[in-house]
Amino acid sequence: MGTLLLALGAALVVGAGALVASCLGLRSTIGLLLGVYLLASAEVVSVSLALSLVDAFTRTWLLFAFAAWFAVACLLWTRRGRPRPPLVVIGPAREALRDRAVAVLAALAVLTHAYALVVALTVPQSLPDTMLYHLPRAALWKQQHAVAYVPNAPDERIDVFPPAAEIEASVSMILSRGDRYVALVQVLALVASCLAIAGIARRLGLSRSGAAFGALAFATFTVVVLQAPTALNDLVVASFLVGCAYFAMGSSRAELALAALALGLAVGTKGTAAFAIPTLALFAFASQPRRRWWSIAGLGAVGIVLGSFWFAVNLVEVGHLTGGVVVDRGVNPLGERVWRSVADLLELSNGENTALLASPLWGLAAFAVALVVAALLWRRSRTGAGVAVLIGAIAFLVTPMIVTWVRVAARVVAHAANAVGLDVAGPAGRLPTGFVESPMHSSYGLAFVTLLLGAGTLVVADVVRRRLPVAALVALVGVPLTLLVTALVLAYDPQRMRYVVFAVALAAAVFGIGLRVRALAWAAVAATAFSLAVSVAYFIP
């Protein structure tokens, strides 16, 4: 019964979102689907907060409010002449999958996330943060019939952190009378993120195959895969931010309004959305002519103000915008924080240190050889020299990764053997930070680094030759920029990589250019298969 009521509530919310989105004049399938996602999310959050004012955050009142809003959406849709939504899926999908690299990557993504979905629906949540505050706050709101401060909360994060993702989880708990479906919030956020990535890629001028390649690559990055079946909220934040980036590229008032709505939802989900605002602003400005910059800035300010509602609640409750939470900047120098963050991002760190086996020194020989080859090829072909340097740069970083991944693979084999009853001793020592079983410590994997270097080089060349807009370069630069902002504000922690997931998603929008160099595309697919086999096999939910 609970599952049926949850399905009914979801149908009412999604149906209302689809009807309203159809009235906005969105011209593309991706735009329509993202509009439905944002409008549905906004409805769930706003209805829950409104009902909480009178302690009516209950199953009966939620269903009544969803049904009432659906009726209003039907009336609006009818009065607007019953506009038909621009849904075209099969043709573009077939065109994208004609590329074999895209088809193989799609198969890997589907198989991986089918497994992740099974995990999400059948395995109880067990991560420390989900058990300490993500799920407790959702359950306590259900108990007190209001999204509000909880008296004598055992963890301050239950009260002070922005609540949007946990509101959606709490609604699923109220309607289904259980926590089985709480991870679907992140699963749906991943789908929305991939749609937005593909849409941004198309607007930047990439082919359908290239757009699909970038979106599928993002879906298979390590931390993304491991976060999907959890009740965390980093993918939810990324989905709203990358949706904002997509609509910020538009020209209609409806699209810009949806961009502001998406930004407000992101800010209302997690404070780490602030780290992405510089990158998001630069991307929006680079995507629009100068005459629209003030409008973009104004709508961005509106979105931030709307999304800051919980900071106002904190101010009322405890007299402090952040609820008294103090940001830990640490004692390490900025340079060290930046270096350790870069090492984590590029899979070069080994636990809490940068030991020799995990350092770039193992790639120096390959890089030196590449420079010599480039010098020899320079006289014959500048293209050949560029390819040689690119291969050397990739080897510079991939070589130490292979060393650490060999260690991880040995641990996976030992873990699997012990799981079936064989007594096999695994290699001693701590697993590298990016390869532990926690989705909070992981980075993005071998394929991400390969594409960041390889596709990034192609993007720079095309922007210089004016084959791609400057916004494509901004999407790429957003990764180090967001990493720098995070290092400036926070102390180093190996868990920080999940805070740059939006920047990685934005960069993934241009990764499809790698299909132009078949060796690069297939190298990324092979790295994806290897990374998924190891990370998913060792992942213990």
Side-chain angles (χ1 to χ4, degrees), residues 6 37 40-41 44-45 117 120-121 125 134-135 138 163-173 178-193 227-240 269:
L6 176 62
Y37 172 71
S41 299
V44 171
V45 173
L117 184 60
L121 296 177
Q125 299 290 318
H134 287 290
L135 289 184
E166 289 80 19
I167 287 176
E168 295 181 320
S170 186
V171 168
S172 77
M173 294 169 70
D179 64 352
R180 178 183 296 274
Y181 303 104
V182 292
L184 293 183
V185 177
Q186 287 253 103
V187 172
L188 293 175
L190 173 60
V191 174
S193 298
Q227 281 236 356
T230 72
L232 299 173
N233 57 13
D234 297 291
L235 294 183
V236 180
V237 178
S239 70
F240 293 143
T269 300

Side-chain angles (χ1 to χ4, degrees), residues 167-464:
I167 287 176
E168 295 181 320
S170 186
V171 168
S172 77
M173 294 169 70
I174 292 172
L175 296 181
S176 68
R177 289 186 175 175
D179 64 352
R180 178 183 296 274
Y181 303 104
V182 292
L184 293 183
V185 177
Q186 287 253 103
V187 172
L188 293 175
L190 173 60
V191 174
S193 298
C194 291
L195 287 172
I197 290 168
I200 291 171
R202 290 292 290 157
R203 286 186 162 180
L204 290 174
L206 273 68
S207 65
R208 285 197 172 103
S209 294
F213 186 83
L216 291 167
F218 173 77
T220 57
F221 291 156
T222 306
V223 72
V224 176
V225 169
L226 298 184
Q227 281 236 356
T230 72
L232 299 173
N233 57 13
D234 297 291
L235 294 183
V236 180
V237 178
S239 70
F240 293 143
L241 290 170
V242 74
C244 176
Y246 171 80
F247 284 117
M249 301 177 74
S251 56
S252 69
R253 293 181 179 178
E255 287 184 296
L256 296 181
L258 287 172
L261 175 63
L263 181 57
L265 287 169
V267 174
T269 300
K270 194 167 187 174
T272 55
F275 303 148
I277 289 179
T279 295
L280 183 60
L282 287 176
F283 182 78
F285 290 148
S287 303
Q288 295 283 1
R290 290 188 178 182
R291 66 178 182 276
R292 292 183 184 158
W293 283 8
W294 283 110
S295 299
I296 293 291
L299 286 171
V302 170
I304 292 173
V305 171
L306 289 176
S308 301
F309 62 91
W310 201 255
F311 298 110
V313 172
N314 288 335
L315 190 62
V316 171
E317 292 287 346
V318 297
H320 197 286
L321 286 174
T322 63
V325 175
V326 179
V327 176
D328 179 17
R329 296 188 177 182
V331 296
N332 295 334
L334 175 61
E336 181 180 349
R337 298 203 301 269
V338 171
W339 157 243
R340 297 179 79 172
S341 298
V342 170
D344 284 347
L345 181 73
L346 299 181
E347 306 283 7
L348 298 177
S349 63
N350 184 13
E352 295 294 330
N353 56 68
T354 51
L356 179 63
L357 290 178
S359 73
L361 297 176
W362 287 90
L364 281 176
F367 189 62
V369 170
L371 290 178
V372 173
V373 173
L376 295 175
L377 291 177
W378 181 262
R379 296 180 181 180
R380 299 181 180 181
S381 172
R382 294 187 178 183
T383 303
V387 171
V389 173
L390 174 60
I391 293 174
I394 294 175
F396 179 78
L397 293 172
V398 169
T399 303
M401 291 181 223
I402 292 175
V403 175
T404 56
W405 272 89
V406 167
R407 289 181 168 184
V408 176
R411 292 288 292 269
V412 171
V413 171
H415 175 73
N418 292 328
V420 297
L422 300 178
D423 187 13
V424 177
R430 182 179 177 183
L431 277 176
T433 297
F435 303 106
V436 297
E437 64 272 22
S438 171
M440 300 181 65
H441 289 81
S442 300
S443 189
Y444 296 91
L446 295 168
F448 165 72
V449 180
T450 301
L451 289 170
L452 183 67
L453 293 171
T457 302
L458 298 175
V459 168
V460 172
D462 275 17
V463 171
V464 171

Side-chain angles (χ1 to χ4, degrees), residues 27 95 99 145 192 219 431:
R27 299 179 181 178
E95 181 180 341
D99 190 293
H145 306 313
L431 277 176

